[in-house]
Amino acid sequence: DYPAYPPQWVDDALEQNMQRVLNVVTLGRACRNQAQVKNRQPVATLYVEGAPLEGQYVELVADELNVKKVEFVNDASGFVDYLVKPQLRTLGPRFGKQLPRLREALQNVDGAAFVRSLRQQGQATVLLEGQQVVLTPDDVLIETTQRSGMVSMADGGISVALDTHLTPALIEEGFVREVVSRVQAMRRDAGFEVTDHIAFEYDGDEQLCALIARNAAAIGADTLADNVTRGVAHPTEQDINGLKGVFEVRKLG
């Protein structure tokens, strides 16, 4: 038998999970905006710091952010780089004329490892003219920078990182979703019912036509287009992510 959880416990757990979903989605959208990746463009992975959510909440996050996978990690700091600079107030009097060389040495350290050492041990070392120098958090200024192909955001104790590497397959899927969106808009503008089956006709740039032809079955399934064919009698011009084309939709039956 399932345990009889008090209704209030269930309500509280649901509210906490949904609030976490909302926070993750908000940060994920901010990552997309910063990377200038359209919402209809699928991306590979969203990394979320902390304990995993249950399956249905993971699916909700993935659907809202159009990501293929949501992966939970213990430490999201590995998805950002760190620039370490000397704190002049403490290190100026201590190193004097050596300060420029210390600044150069800090620029060349592994930023993530240096920051991890500061957090875990309260100190970190840097090699200066053959000598190991011990530094504390008060001795340095830490700036975060985005790692190539990753965009990270943090707020309210939650950190996420979005993998913005786009493979050819992901790019093509983004084009297909854009085509589907345009066809759906044309259906609505034509006053078709949601259950009406249609013919979708297209023409234009060879690259766009080849892409539609390769994905005709998927486009047809999403738009109730029984026929997806090249050749347009009454064209409507379209620009699909920079590719020029013309579309037409006709109700069947």
Side-chain angles (χ1 to χ4, degrees), residues 89-123:
R89 177 174 48 81
T90 60
L91 296 184
R94 180 175 166 191
F95 289 93
K97 293 181 179 180
Q98 288 183 298
L99 193 59
R101 289 188 289 276
L102 178 60
R103 179 183 289 108
E104 183 178 350
L106 287 172
Q107 288 176 346
N108 294 324
V109 299
D110 180 336
F114 190 92
V115 170
R116 186 163 52 250
S117 180
L118 286 178
R119 290 174 175 172
Q120 295 177 356
Q121 303 175 28
Q123 63 181 33

Side-chain angles (χ1 to χ4, degrees), residues 2 23 37 50 70 72 101 105 148-149 177-178 189 212 237 245:
Y2 292 104
N23 293 339
V37 178
V70 179
F72 294 87
R101 289 188 289 276
S148 176
R177 292 196 178 200
E178 195 68 42
D189 291 344
I212 293 174
E237 293 185 358

Side-chain angles (χ1 to χ4, degrees), residues 205-228:
D205 289 352
E206 287 301 323
Q207 185 179 350
L208 177 60
C209 290
L211 183 149
I212 293 174
R214 284 195 300 271
N215 297 277
I219 294 169
D222 287 342
T223 62
L224 290 186
D226 295 345
N227 302 320
V228 179

Side-chain angles (χ1 to χ4, degrees), residues 3-49:
Y5 294 116
Q8 184 60 46
W9 187 93
V10 175
D11 290 344
D12 289 347
L14 176 61
E15 183 177 352
Q16 290 171 6
N17 283 323
M18 289 305 299
Q19 184 60 54
R20 190 173 175 212
V21 166
L22 177 61
N23 293 339
V24 169
V25 168
T26 299
L27 289 175
R29 286 177 177 159
C31 289
R32 271 189 175 274
N33 290 339
Q34 181 167 321
Q36 297 183 330
V37 178
K38 290 183 176 181
N39 290 331
R40 278 193 285 269
Q41 172 60 62
V43 293
T45 310
L46 177 76
Y47 298 92
V48 182
E49 186 176 81

